[in-house]
Amino acid sequence: MPRERILILGGTSDARHLADGLVEQGFDVTTSFAGVTASPLLPLGAHHVGGFGGADGLAAFLRAGGFDRVVDATHPFAAQMSAHAHAACESVKLPLSRLERPTWVAGPGDTWINAATLAEAAKKVPQQARVLLTTGHKGLDGFFAREDLGGLVRVIEDPALALPQGWALVSERPPHRLEGELALLQREAITCVVSKNSGGSGTEAKLEAARQLGLPVVMVRRPAKPPVRSFPDVAAALLGITGKAG
Ligand code: NAP
């Protein structure tokens, strides 16, 4: 019997772990990357690097590749790719599911300032704050336009960003540990953390560190995505797709 062919839309550590698990169970897996990270950690199986050319391009790729199903394991903020996946799978009639970590939820001791977009987040940062920006290197203009703000922009890879005066870049790949986050916030005299509500344990320590130090967190809500069958973690996705635990 031919092996089931699965396309995983990747770009997250969960996507990588899911691909590894499915390959180990004998599935024929291709993981796709947008191509924005120069040296992504590669999962087992085949890889496709670069976009598909919109929903139509993805539909053509799925047909040509003889895929049997698609798993959208992109980052919760990759809204365009998820919309394209939904439209393409509808058109070629393939099952689509999503691997998406639960959102972080504010608890006792947290001071969260919620924002719908990065632009709104930039407006909501308290006056004169020294900020740790952890939202990636795109869409930061609103923060840089505020002359009362400064701080650190933390990215996974150095995107050669030209930063305004008062801002510095720090390149560091998650996971981040609590001790390191506490040390960073204190050493850099950070007074406000800005985060997307990405969820997951690898980047959660900054929230605990902010809580312990009594710092506000400006939290950007997730964009809406089309409703599809969703798995909260890799183990659940493996079980749902294969019928067997990983
Ligand atoms: P996006 O806005 O949803 O997608 C922009 C375009 O990039 C898509 O239309 C598609 O191009 C291409 N693309 C995105 N993900 C792809 C994938 N896995 N495989 C092949 N092509 C892909 O995405 P984004 O927010 O720029 O994120 C880009 C990638 O970085 C995603 O894979 C995501 O998982 C990862 N990532 C994003 C964030 C974030 O905060 N947004 C954080 C961590 C990781 P075509 O239309 O040409 O197919």
Side-chain angles (χ1 to χ4, degrees):
M1 206 170 87
R3 295 186 300 158
E4 187 173 342
R5 294 206 75 187
I6 302 178
L7 176 65
I8 297 177
L9 304 169
T12 60
S13 55
D14 282 349
R16 191 172 74 250
H17 295 134
L18 177 63
D20 289 348
L22 288 171
V23 169
E24 277 160 13
Q25 294 200 32
F27 288 82
D28 181 355
V29 178
T30 299
T31 301
S32 76
F33 299 89
V36 286
T37 306
S39 50
L41 298 176
L42 293 176
L44 297 177
H47 313 120
H48 170 92
V49 180
F52 302 99
D56 291 344
L58 176 57
F61 180 88
L62 292 169
R63 260 192 234 104
F67 287 95
D68 300 299
R69 72 162 69 226
V70 179
V71 183
D72 177 3
T74 56
H75 188 272
F77 281 74
Q80 184 167 302
M81 188 67 252
S82 294
H84 290 176
H86 188 255
C89 287
E90 289 268 293
S91 89
V92 297
K93 310 253 177 300
L94 282 188
L96 169 68
S97 51
R98 185 175 303 136
L99 170 52
E100 189 169 60
R101 319 160 197 158
T103 55
W104 292 317
V105 178
D110 281 323
T111 309
W112 282 17
I113 302 165
N114 292 308
T117 61
L118 271 177
E120 189 183 314
K123 291 188 187 139
K124 288 189 162 179
V125 171
Q127 294 276 319
Q128 308 293 334
R130 193 162 157 75
V131 184
L132 174 64
L133 268 179
T134 64
T135 54
H137 64 272
K138 289 195 290 185
L140 305 182
D141 296 357
F143 298 95
F144 297 157
R146 280 189 51 183
E147 287 177 4
D148 62 317
L149 303 182
L152 291 183
V153 179
R154 181 162 67 189
V155 291
I156 291 179
E157 279 188 339
D158 189 339
L161 260 188
L163 297 180
Q165 206 181 351
W167 292 92
L169 200 64
V170 47
S171 312
E172 210 182 336
R173 198 182 276 274
H176 304 294
R177 306 268 169 242
L178 178 60
E179 300 70 37
E181 298 294 60
L182 282 167
L184 176 74
L185 294 178
Q186 289 175 304
R187 185 177 68 241
E188 296 289 339
I190 298 296
T191 62
C192 177
V193 175
V194 179
S195 175
K196 290 175 173 170
N197 198 329
S198 304
S201 58
T203 55
E204 195 177 16
K206 64 190 166 193
L207 305 179
E208 172 64 25
R211 183 183 308 135
Q212 288 191 16
L213 298 173
L215 303 182
V217 176
V218 179
M219 184 64 78
V220 184
R221 279 194 292 274
R222 291 181 180 185
K225 291 195 174 190
V228 297
R229 183 183 185 200
S230 283
F231 303 110
D233 54 39
V234 174
L238 277 172
L239 186 61
I241 293 166
T242 67
K244 289 185 277 181

